[in-house]
Amino acid sequence: MLRVSLPDGSVKELPAGSSAADLAAGIGAGLARAAVAAKVNGELWDLNRPLPPDADVAIVTRGDDDADALYALRHSTAHVLATAVRDLFPGAGIGFGPPIENGFYYDFEVPEPFTPEDLEKIEARMAEVVAEGYTFDRREIDRTEAEDLFSDDPLKLERLAEIPEGETISTYTDGPFTDLCRGPHVASTGEIRHFKLLSGAGAYWRGDETRQMLQRIYGTAFYDKKSLSAYLTQLEEAKKRDHRKLGQDLDLFSFHEEFGPGLVAWHPKGARIQMALRRWIEDLLLKQGYEFVYTPHVASESLFRRSGHLPAYAENMYPSMQEDGEGDAFRVKPMNCPGHTMIYAARQRSYRDLPLRLSEIANVYRFERSGTLHGLLRVRMLTMDDGHLFCTPDQVEDEIFTCIDLIDEVMGTLGLEYRLDFSTRPEKRIGADEVWDRAEADLRQALDRVGRPYGVDVGGGAFYGPKIDIKFKDAIGREWQGATIQLDFNLPERFELEYIGADNKPHRPVMIHRAIFGTLERFTGFLIEHFAGAFPVWLAPEQVRVLPITDEQAEGAAAIVSVLRDAGVSAEIDVRSDTLNYRIRDGELNKVPYLLVVGGRELEAGTVAVRARGAEKKQVVMPVQEFADRIREEVRARALVP
RNA sequence: GCUGACGUAGCUCAACUGGAAGAGCACCGGAUUUGUAAUCCGGAGGUUGUGGGUUCGAGUCCCACCGUCAGCUCCA
């Protein structure tokens, strides 16, 4: 007999060798039908795998809102994909095929990349495998048997060799295909009804760019047809929000071969958004006691040698510039930190001066690898809302809290949720391990005091120190990387920064590097996609457009524009001889927050007919001054309207 | 940087197997003066990403380069 504890606290006894499927059947026929897997002592198990003698067991039921159920389904779908590929491309090498956030992928070693037609054929073959309803059969085997089984699969053998001695080696078979796999899987391929292959692309074996490239196929799967179509619709929605497309349509920015890749030209409307963001963050920083500085865009290489950027960061820096026979070569700055240490070191500092908070909203240039560039999200000239906090070791925690406060303020205003990631020392770094030990411990301690849950990104730190990364969620649930807080004991050391303590002796300050938006480029790209181009009025480049109904109201409309501009509102007039309908449509398509329709009635009464974006015919008529006051207040409060 | 796909007017896209570069929108001109999501007529606009090559003939085929896109790697 074996005893299992159920989530409701009850205990059930079952004959030895019983599986979770048996358990579910014992509880009820409905549960048995809905069951797809089981959580056994917190681990996801196959439904039909014999249970251990004493275990906490929860039945995982079919459903697209259950991460475990989806995990098993997608993992199984990946196997079905491999089954189909092996069938259609008999010599294909088999890499990894895990479930991922919104689906799954599988990597194959094939001589030619898969074409879109191949994907169609594979998907059709998968449908046949599904129709066969093969069961997923788990087997636990020993190493020699496994080596024998996968003797023709070098990638699997490599993986096999990494499984530690003593750990269970299991395989799963669905019809003609057997894979080295930990599981779990759904009971049979028949469980997989709603799936789709999405794309194919190259991917390095083990994610290592020195290894061979495999061909990866991405796909997704759901239990419910509606979930699948909702997901596909969401992909379409994401495409519609693409900031590169909206940036073009809304005339915000452009890229040009003449500039080179990754270099943005901000058009007037895009520049207005930049201004709004810049003024906002500058106000917040001033309130927090920051001081603003400016440092040169190019600097002698000796500066970057001393900071450690050369060579630790050299591959991301533009090449050196040297004038014939003229001393040291120069570099364009990829970061502001070395420059800010100069300002710190320009005079003797007292502990009374600390914390010293310096900020520079500055353009820096990074030579990003061409394949990584992506619209505004990855560029080669970036505008950081950069800041460096110089403080005593005792002040580190408080200073990190000031950064978190800023982030809360910014995220709160935008109505965004965020989460934190703790990133530890990377392989390529400067400084002794003991220094890193301390920096990581200190940062972690501060993070624990913040009291929010956080993830850990091992090896994700900056080359000079560990960091906290802020990931926020947009309107359609995607995560973005923006703010970052980095703790640095290395640069103060390298630049021999000091302050005189209360003991009248020199001490080394600690440096915190931080950015709240991250970069204005990426943050703007994020905002465009988050708002789908329909910016709240305080961010909108054109806040109001006044539409006189006929030429007769043109003068009166122009006067209204003047009133609004005097109130600090960015207002335009549309006096084109097109119909009112045409101009309203144009205003809506340009996502102008407020369209003011002005006809004879309004001019006579001193009012405007306010058509708020998206409100269609629910417009209100109000006196010009009232509208001006209202919009001014909305802008002041950075309200998320209209 | 790597693998693959792609590059035709400002934008979105046509142009059968190589056989006279086209449409809609945007833009310009004219008419129209409009009450809540596209008024009508006309016009201009392209050395088909760049440079080579094959061919009687190249947007179409081949090569190189540039750029874009997807993914990998990297990252604000």
Side-chain angles (χ1 to χ4, degrees), chain A residues 545 547 574 576-589:
Chain A
R545 189 180 289 181
L547 312 179
D574 184 354
R576 289 177 294 181
S577 68
D578 295 284
T579 59
L580 181 64
N581 276 339
Y582 177 89
R583 286 175 291 150
I584 283 175
R585 176 179 154 83
D586 191 58
E588 289 283 351
L589 291 177

Side-chain angles (χ1 to χ4, degrees), chain A residues 8 13 178 256 274 384 388 420 474 479 490 520 568 582:
Chain A
D8 65 2
E13 297 210 336
T178 297
H256 302 268
Q274 305 291 288
M384 302 193 72
H388 294 97
L420 306 169
D474 75 2
E479 274 202 352
N490 282 307
L520 290 187
Y582 177 89

Side-chain angles (χ1 to χ4, degrees), chain A residues 353-598:
Chain A
D353 298 333
L354 304 184
L356 179 66
R357 302 180 181 135
L358 300 183
S359 177
E360 182 174 2
I361 316 272
N363 294 131
V364 296
Y365 291 80
R366 297 184 185 174
F367 193 77
E368 301 290 349
R369 297 162 86 186
S370 59
T372 65
L373 300 173
H374 183 90
L376 293 180
L377 306 183
R378 200 73 189 286
V379 292
R380 284 182 173 164
M381 184 192 91
L382 37 152
T383 313
M384 302 193 72
D385 59 327
D386 207 359
H388 294 97
L389 311 174
F390 298 86
C391 61
T392 70
D394 291 347
Q395 292 169 330
V396 165
E397 205 166 290
D398 281 349
E399 288 311 295
I400 287 171
F401 288 166
T402 67
C403 299
I404 299 277
D405 282 348
L406 268 177
I407 291 162
D408 279 338
E409 168 75 26
V410 167
M411 294 294 135
T413 300
L414 292 169
L416 299 171
E417 301 279 314
Y418 69 88
R419 65 176 190 85
L420 306 169
D421 262 348
F422 176 57
S423 299
T424 60
R425 71 193 79 184
E427 257 173 58
K428 201 165 187 180
R429 60 177 183 264
I430 56 172
D433 284 349
E434 303 79 69
V435 175
W436 277 90
D437 289 342
R438 190 174 145 215
E440 286 176 358
D442 281 10
L443 192 58
R444 186 147 210 164
Q445 190 183 343
L447 200 43
D448 287 333
R449 295 261 173 92
V450 170
R452 288 169 180 270
Y454 59 87
V456 177
D457 177 6
V458 176
F463 75 82
Y464 43 76
K467 59 180 186 175
I468 301 171
D469 281 329
I470 282 73
K471 307 265 166 75
F472 40 92
K473 271 203 173 163
D474 75 2
I476 58 173
R478 297 171 300 177
E479 274 202 352
W480 299 70
Q481 154 84 60
T484 180
I485 305 170
Q486 311 170 348
L487 187 57
D488 179 7
F489 292 141
N490 282 307
L491 292 191
E493 190 72 35
R494 287 181 159 251
F495 286 98
E496 298 177 333
L497 302 184
E498 286 180 355
Y499 64 89
I500 304 301
D503 57 2
N504 199 28
K505 287 190 180 128
H507 298 273
R508 188 122 294 159
V510 180
M511 239 175 126
I512 296 168
H513 310 235
R514 42 85 307 168
I516 308 304
F517 295 147
T519 69
L520 290 187
E521 287 77 11
R522 176 175 290 182
F523 203 69
T524 304
F526 156 74
L527 291 170
I528 292 169
E529 302 215 0
H530 175 64
F531 291 118
F535 299 104
V537 65
W538 72 271
L539 263 176
E542 182 183 355
Q543 297 170 320
V544 177
R545 189 180 289 181
V546 181
L547 312 179
I549 291 177
T550 75
D551 287 351
E552 277 181 41
Q553 293 90 38
E555 226 172 284
I560 292 169
V561 167
S562 297
V563 169
L564 291 169
R565 286 192 180 161
D566 284 348
V569 174
S570 96
E572 302 292 334
I573 186 169
D574 184 354
V575 287
R576 289 177 294 181
S577 68
D578 295 284
T579 59
L580 181 64
N581 276 339
Y582 177 89
R583 286 175 291 150
I584 283 175
R585 176 179 154 83
D586 191 58
E588 289 283 351
L589 291 177
N590 280 286
K591 303 180 194 280
V592 178
Y594 294 108
L595 299 177
L596 304 186
V597 178
V598 177

Side-chain angles (χ1 to χ4, degrees), chain A residues 18-24 31-38 45-51 58-60 184-187 191:
Chain A
S18 295
S19 66
D22 301 325
L23 172 67
L31 182 65
R33 269 197 305 277
V36 287
W45 276 42
D46 303 303
L47 211 49
N48 54 16
R49 182 168 164 192
L51 293 168
I59 302 295
V60 174
H185 287 284
V186 294
E191 187 69 54

Side-chain angles (χ1 to χ4, degrees), chain A residues 274-314:
Chain A
Q274 305 291 288
M275 279 171 69
L277 291 173
R278 212 179 256 260
R279 288 176 177 175
W280 183 26
I281 196 71
E282 282 170 357
D283 279 353
L284 292 176
L285 295 178
L286 285 169
K287 270 188 219 162
Q288 255 202 3
Y290 276 82
E291 316 218 48
F292 284 82
V293 298
Y294 299 99
T295 58
H297 284 205
V298 292
S300 163
E301 284 199 330
S302 62
L303 178 71
F304 298 113
R305 267 195 295 274
R306 187 162 183 194
S307 68
H309 283 78
L310 297 171
Y313 200 71

Side-chain angles (χ1 to χ4, degrees), chain A residues 132-344:
Chain A
E132 288 290 339
Y134 296 122
T135 53
F136 281 98
D137 297 321
R138 178 189 173 90
R139 275 186 67 213
E140 295 186 2
I141 57 179
D142 65 30
R143 191 169 297 268
T144 36
E145 188 181 351
E147 281 166 0
D148 194 43
L149 193 57
F150 295 105
S151 56
D152 292 335
D153 263 315
L155 304 181
K156 288 291 172 192
L157 287 178
E158 187 177 329
R159 174 73 191 100
L160 195 56
E162 284 170 10
I163 298 177
E165 257 342 296
E167 202 166 290
T168 309
I169 296 170
S170 58
T171 64
Y172 279 81
T173 303
D174 58 298
F177 178 67
T178 297
D179 201 356
L180 176 69
C181 177
R182 278 213 317 235
H185 287 284
V186 294
S188 103
T189 60
E191 187 69 54
I192 300 159
R193 294 198 184 83
H194 310 292
F195 68 94
K196 182 149 185 62
L197 297 186
L198 298 170
S199 60
Y204 300 106
W205 170 232
R206 317 303 306 261
D208 181 343
E209 63 180 316
T210 64
R211 305 292 301 267
Q212 75 268 39
M213 188 164 270
L214 308 181
Q215 293 305 319
R216 176 171 298 179
I217 297 177
Y218 284 93
T220 192
F222 292 90
Y223 287 99
D224 189 341
K225 189 174 186 178
K226 277 188 204 145
S227 310
L228 175 62
S229 57
Y231 177 69
L232 296 177
T233 311
Q234 203 216 327
L235 289 183
E236 291 298 312
E237 175 61 19
K239 226 183 246 174
K240 272 189 241 154
R241 288 168 177 260
D242 191 319
H243 72 279
R244 292 166 297 186
K245 168 95 179 111
L246 286 171
Q248 166 91 262
D249 292 350
L250 301 176
D251 195 19
L252 303 179
F253 58 85
S254 56
F255 291 89
H256 302 268
E257 276 195 40
E258 287 79 355
F259 288 144
L263 298 167
V264 188
W266 288 104
H267 297 11
K269 286 181 178 173
R272 266 203 111 109
I273 297 171
Q274 305 291 288
M275 279 171 69
L277 291 173
R278 212 179 256 260
R279 288 176 177 175
W280 183 26
I281 196 71
E282 282 170 357
D283 279 353
L284 292 176
L285 295 178
L286 285 169
K287 270 188 219 162
Q288 255 202 3
Y290 276 82
E291 316 218 48
F292 284 82
V293 298
Y294 299 99
T295 58
H297 284 205
V298 292
S300 163
E301 284 199 330
S302 62
L303 178 71
F304 298 113
R305 267 195 295 274
R306 187 162 183 194
S307 68
H309 283 78
L310 297 171
Y313 200 71
E315 59 184 25
N316 283 311
M317 293 171 69
Y318 274 88
S320 69
M321 299 172 271
Q322 177 132 42
E323 228 181 319
D324 285 343
E326 293 266 337
D328 210 1
F330 288 81
R331 290 280 191 151
V332 178
K333 67 176 170 182
M335 293 186 193
N336 298 302
C337 33
H340 293 183
T341 64
M342 293 294 107
I343 292 173
Y344 180 92

